[in-house]
Amino acid sequence: MTTLPKPENKTSTPKSAAVVPPVVVTGPLLLNRELSQLAFNRRVLAQAEDKSVPLLERLRYLCIASSNLDEFFEVRIASLLAKSRLDGDIKEPAALSAALALTSTECHAIVERQYHVLNNQVLPELSAQGIHLLRDQDRNEAQRAWVKAYFDREVRPLLTPIGLDPAHPFPQVVNKSLNFIVELSGKDAFGRGTAIAILRAPRVLPRVIRLPDELSTNGGVSFCLLSSVIHAHITDLFTGRQVIAYSQFRVTRDSDLWVDEDEVKNLRQALQGELQVRQFGVAVRLEVAKNCPDHLAQLLLDQFMISRNRLYAVEGPVNMVRLSELINLVERPELRFPSFTPQYPPHLVNGDIFAILKKQDVLLHHPFQSFQPVVDFVRSAALDPNVLAIKQTIYRTGMNSDLMESLILAALRGKEVTVIVELMARFDEEANINWADKLERAGAQVVYGIVGLKTHAKLALVLRREEGQLRYYAHLGTGNYHPTTTKIYTDFGLLTANTALATEVNEIFIHLTSLTKPKKLTHLWLAPFALQKEFIRAIRNEAAIARAGRPGRIIAKMNALLDESVIKALYAASADGVKIDLLIRGACALRPGVAGLSENIRVRSIIGRFLEHSRIYYFRNDLAHDVFLSSADWMNRNLFRRIEVAFPILDRAMKKRVIAEGLNPYLKDNTHSWELDGDGVYHKRKQRAKQARFGAQAYLMNLVAKPESE
């Protein structure tokens, strides 16, 4: 019997819609998308303030929050600004202007909090542990002498200050690069009064520099930032001139690539051209030092055509994300999360993966279980003489990938290898282009998906000849085939020889390569054709069950919930008495717990050691306990602008396992769980009186350390 946590009975199920008086819902039906996305960053930032989190990991969370905010400007704010430009009006339309104003206020508040946590919590606590990040005023004479020598030897030869005049226009400033603006007095070597110079910090140099141990403060370990080294010796670069003022600065740019997919003849070649200019997209944010003179900040704002509300004057390094280098340089394991090795399922060790799959499916829960069986699955297929063909989708896979090397090996060994590479995977375009080139050179067929739709589904298929017939083996997953993220993201993957599922996977590959209309699929839900419709049908089915007086229950876990049609279906189901629990890591536009609208809906977000990434959709369905895993969130882009797949878990024991590992612990979590209220505010859940502390991820790490016999 499948065990589910009992929902909290906040309201009783209405006997019939006719006897429920109408309720007027105040406020909008949907929460603001941008503010909800920023609220996620607030929760990440809260991890940096949590004293129970190891100190170096708290610094890592600060860097993650900074990186998230970078991407928010590069993508979301850039998109809002692009919409205003498309309207052909210099001034932003009222709705866009209001949205940008709301996000600006919250972004400034988040940035201010980030630097407060860095300067008043994390850095002082690191110093107390003997880990010192030294500014120039903190360094003693011996340390200053070493830094001066380092500057002269390693830094100065690579610097190229540009004095601005008609022959030396403002230099190109690369996206998110570290730069300095310098104001000078007097005349230059040619008797002219050039007053402003721009200096770019070399990207080839480390941003965090470790001082020799013998020079370390109080016997600990000492570091300084490259920006601090340049600050201390910037006057050395302008012989005969007086430096009046200077500041570090950093420009964030629109980083979306744009190609007219209806016009280009070769998408890969077009993207390669776009990659070269991505670093110089439209400027959307300017960061300067807190003490930057206002007239220098205004000069930069004018140069990059950035409005003043997107100016951020910060108390520390403008490139906070680069402090992650310090984490890697400190050898203090007690200040990190305890080491964890994902479990390799015992019954797969030294086994023939194809023989095992003929007997039973294999369900993998990453990162608690290793992703290596999936890599071994593809590697075994590449080496197996009975395997005739391998088909795979690739969205993100990184620059180094054993799985991709196995696909290349398979092609070199004469197998039919078809790889659907998504070239438009944001920030992974270059890596994917490189892999596409290598695969084609090895003889693989490489397809770039469907024009206008990103191929986001995670599918692999192996066709093997057995006893004179073709046998299909498939892998379907919720996460990417990426060697790094599989160790830090939670995801599920299914290895199966189920003929019905694997045959439909093959039909999807044929659809994607031939561009023909897909055949009717019985088990798999495919976007953009049927996925939203099937989700809404399942939600409405629970509502019908509840109206009939039987228990209706939905539990869904995903990264984001923004699709308006799905949200309205959930509101309607709640009104009919369906108990709904949503586990949404990131942005959520649904307003939970609102009388007359969503009083039967709870929304929670888990922020922990691992990034919650799996998408799980559970519908009670009169004890049928339907469980679907998917690559798709409940977002319009996933449901209509991407190729996505949701797949059922058919085996009863595996259904129980998905519920027991992927849903129940997260609903029970009282350590890393945040609950959303109807006004869009998240509240950290706390243990009730006499309630034991429980964290879902810690529970799962312990669970796989002592796996049950399979």
Side-chain angles (χ1 to χ4, degrees):
M1 180 178 179
T2 304
T3 304
L4 285 168
K6 294 180 180 179
E8 294 179 4
N9 289 312
K10 294 183 178 180
T11 61
S12 58
T13 304
K15 294 180 180 179
S16 71
V19 301
V20 179
V23 178
V24 177
V25 178
T26 60
L29 294 180
L30 303 177
L31 297 172
N32 180 275
R33 170 179 179 166
E34 286 73 36
L35 292 183
S36 185
Q37 196 168 340
L38 290 171
F40 166 66
N41 221 36
R42 285 272 194 185
R43 300 194 294 280
V44 174
L45 183 55
Q47 290 290 101
E49 301 185 67
D50 187 342
K51 300 286 186 180
S52 69
V53 175
L55 188 52
L56 287 175
E57 304 297 347
R58 289 168 61 191
L59 177 58
R60 193 189 308 277
Y61 280 117
L62 269 178
C63 296
I64 292 171
S66 181
S67 176
N68 288 347
L69 208 55
D70 284 351
E71 186 172 341
F72 181 75
F73 274 91
E74 289 176 285
V75 178
R76 192 61 197 161
I77 294 298
S79 174
L80 291 175
L81 293 170
K83 286 181 181 178
S84 71
R85 291 193 298 272
L86 287 175
D87 286 337
D89 189 348
I90 297 175
K91 295 182 179 179
E92 294 139 1
L96 284 173
S97 181
L100 287 167
L102 281 171
T103 56
S104 176
T105 299
E106 180 62 5
C107 285
H108 277 89
I110 290 174
V111 169
E112 185 175 350
R113 189 63 190 171
Q114 280 179 196
Y115 283 90
H116 174 84
V117 173
L118 176 69
N119 294 319
N120 296 285
Q121 297 181 32
V122 174
L123 290 182
E125 291 181 42
L126 283 170
S127 184
Q129 291 286 337
I131 303 166
H132 308 284
L133 187 62
L134 304 176
R135 297 168 298 175
D136 184 52
Q137 59 264 42
D138 301 324
R139 298 193 278 265
N140 59 36
E141 287 304 315
Q143 291 167 340
R144 287 197 184 100
W146 185 90
V147 168
K148 167 65 172 166
Y150 180 87
F151 174 80
D152 289 338
R153 183 181 70 253
E154 301 288 341
V155 181
R156 195 179 194 280
L158 299 177
L159 296 177
T160 307
I162 304 292
L164 302 187
D165 70 4
H168 298 78
F170 205 105
Q172 286 273 42
V173 172
V174 174
N175 182 38
K176 297 186 295 186
S177 61
L178 175 62
N179 304 272
F180 294 83
I181 183 169
V182 185
E183 184 178 15
L184 304 166
S185 69
K187 297 185 181 296
D188 63 21
F190 305 96
R192 296 170 301 187
T194 53
I196 299 295
I198 301 297
L199 176 67
R200 184 171 69 185
R203 287 196 146 188
V204 295
L205 292 177
R207 265 37 184 177
V208 179
I209 301 153
R210 180 169 178 168
L211 275 65
D213 289 346
E214 61 270 20
L215 296 179
S216 189
T217 302
N218 299 326
V221 57
S222 296
F223 301 89
C224 61
L225 299 178
L226 176 64
S227 57
S228 172
V229 173
I230 296 174
H231 268 296
H233 301 285
I234 201 164
T235 56
D236 296 356
L237 300 170
F238 302 96
T239 306
R241 305 290 298 276
Q242 180 184 355
V243 174
I244 300 174
Y246 60 91
S247 174
Q248 56 180 312
F249 74 90
R250 181 174 182 255
V251 175
T252 309
R253 297 182 179 275
D254 183 343
S255 293
D256 248 0
L257 298 183
W258 186 88
V259 293
D260 188 343
E261 294 177 285
D262 293 327
E263 295 294 329
V264 299
K265 295 182 179 180
N266 187 310
L267 180 59
R268 191 169 88 188
Q269 289 179 2
L271 272 176
Q272 285 173 319
E274 280 292 302
L275 281 171
Q276 295 174 8
V277 300
R278 162 186 265 172
Q279 299 286 10
F280 306 105
V282 174
V284 295
R285 177 181 61 168
L286 173 66
E287 296 166 281
V288 298
K290 194 79 171 180
N291 59 359
C292 177
D294 188 69
H295 66 284
L296 292 184
Q298 189 60 51
L299 187 154
L300 292 170
L301 290 172
D302 293 341
Q303 171 65 33
F304 297 112
M305 294 184 289
I306 298 174
S307 64
R308 198 165 187 87
N309 67 353
R310 283 179 274 126
L311 169 67
Y312 292 79
V314 301
E315 192 71 57
V318 293
N319 51 346
M320 185 191 289
V321 68
R322 300 299 290 271
L323 287 176
S324 59
E325 294 178 23
L326 187 148
I327 302 169
N328 300 327
L329 293 170
V330 175
E331 298 175 0
R332 295 283 296 277
E334 74 277 13
L335 299 181
R336 305 173 187 272
F337 285 128
S339 62
F340 173 72
T341 302
Q343 178 230 10
Y344 196 105
H347 68 294
L348 299 183
V349 177
N350 299 323
D352 179 342
I353 186 64
F354 300 114
I356 292 170
L357 291 178
K358 276 191 286 188
K359 295 178 181 178
Q360 65 179 103
D361 289 353
V362 173
L363 181 69
L364 298 169
H365 192 183
H366 315 300
F368 314 106
Q369 289 180 300
S370 173
F371 189 73
Q372 192 59 39
V374 181
V375 178
D376 293 344
F377 170 68
V378 178
R379 181 76 176 177
S380 297
L383 296 173
D384 190 328
N386 294 318
V387 168
L388 304 181
I390 304 173
K391 303 181 182 183
Q392 177 118 24
T393 61
I394 293 297
Y395 190 74
R396 299 190 194 280
T397 193
M399 299 298 290
N400 301 298
S401 170
D402 290 341
L403 187 145
M404 298 299 286
E405 295 292 352
S406 293
L407 291 173
I408 291 171
L409 175 64
L412 292 173
R413 291 172 66 90
K415 301 183 188 303
E416 292 295 322
V417 177
T418 303
V419 185
I420 299 173
V421 179
E422 180 47 69
L423 295 186
M424 297 292 285
R426 187 182 293 126
F427 303 126
D428 278 85
E429 300 94 344
E430 184 175 2
N432 288 2
I433 287 172
N434 290 338
W435 282 119
D437 182 61
K438 291 179 181 179
L439 285 162
E440 286 184 339
R441 291 184 182 185
Q445 295 187 81
V446 178
V447 179
Y448 304 137
I450 307 295
V451 170
L453 300 171
K454 288 186 179 181
T455 302
H456 192 248
K458 325 300 183 191
L459 304 171
L461 183 71
V462 171
L463 284 77
R464 188 171 187 262
R465 187 170 298 284
E466 299 175 4
E467 299 177 354
Q469 295 183 331
L470 283 181
R471 184 73 181 260
Y472 293 30
Y473 298 86
H475 174 264
L476 304 94
T478 68
N480 294 302
Y481 296 105
H482 195 296
T484 299
T485 60
T486 55
K487 297 175 183 176
I488 56 176
Y489 289 13
T490 69
D491 275 302
F492 275 98
L494 178 69
L495 286 164
T496 181
N498 180 291
T499 302
L501 287 180
T503 300
E504 291 193 359
V505 170
N506 191 45
E507 288 300 325
I508 291 174
F509 276 109
I510 292 173
H511 158 62
L512 294 177
T513 56
S514 69
L515 305 180
T516 55
K517 186 176 180 179
K519 288 187 177 180
K520 181 176 176 58
L521 304 175
T522 303
H523 298 285
L524 304 183
W525 297 349
L526 178 65
F529 302 101
L531 191 55
Q532 189 209 53
K533 179 178 68 176
E534 292 293 350
F535 277 135
I536 290 177
R537 180 196 58 77
I539 293 168
R540 289 175 176 168
N541 180 60
E542 293 300 314
I545 290 170
R547 289 196 301 272
R550 303 189 302 278
R553 185 81 165 108
I554 297 171
I555 310 175
K557 183 174 186 286
M558 68 200 82
N559 296 333
L561 170 55
L562 297 172
D563 184 77
E564 188 170 347
S565 295
V566 171
I567 290 173
K568 288 181 177 178
L570 291 169
Y571 284 156
S574 171
D576 286 327
V578 179
K579 303 300 180 182
I580 302 171
D581 275 297
L582 303 175
L583 296 159
I584 303 171
R585 186 198 77 223
C588 175
L590 180 145
R591 297 179 64 197
V594 177
L597 179 69
S598 57
E599 57 261 66
N600 288 309
I601 304 178
R602 289 185 306 174
V603 175
R604 291 175 180 170
S605 173
I606 306 295
I607 308 295
R609 172 175 179 169
F610 304 118
L611 183 87
E612 293 298 333
H613 192 256
S614 54
R615 288 87 164 190
I616 307 169
Y617 301 100
Y618 166 82
F619 306 94
R620 186 176 184 273
N621 192 16
D622 278 338
L623 297 179
H625 299 299
D626 296 334
V627 174
F628 282 82
L629 303 178
S630 182
S631 56
D633 296 310
W634 280 345
M635 298 177 67
N636 185 272
R637 73 179 187 190
N638 296 93
L639 301 174
F640 292 107
R641 300 198 303 276
R642 289 183 174 185
I643 303 296
E644 304 272 17
V645 169
F647 57 96
I649 300 300
L650 302 174
D651 180 83
R652 179 179 294 181
M654 287 187 177
K655 283 186 185 182
K656 290 182 179 180
R657 190 176 152 212
V658 171
I659 294 167
E661 294 182 19
L663 298 176
N664 286 359
Y666 294 96
L667 295 177
K668 186 179 176 183
D669 193 303
N670 58 21
T671 303
H672 300 292
S673 179
W674 297 75
E675 189 152 358
L676 176 65
D677 68 22
D679 295 321
V681 178
Y682 284 84
H683 305 273
K684 186 77 178 284
R685 288 190 72 200
K686 298 179 180 178
Q687 299 120 269
R688 297 172 182 169
K690 299 182 180 179
Q691 187 181 44
R693 181 181 173 90
F694 182 85
Q697 293 183 358
Y699 165 77
L700 292 169
M701 290 167 69
N702 290 328
L703 184 70
V704 299
K706 300 175 182 177
E708 298 178 6
S709 58
E710 305 214 19

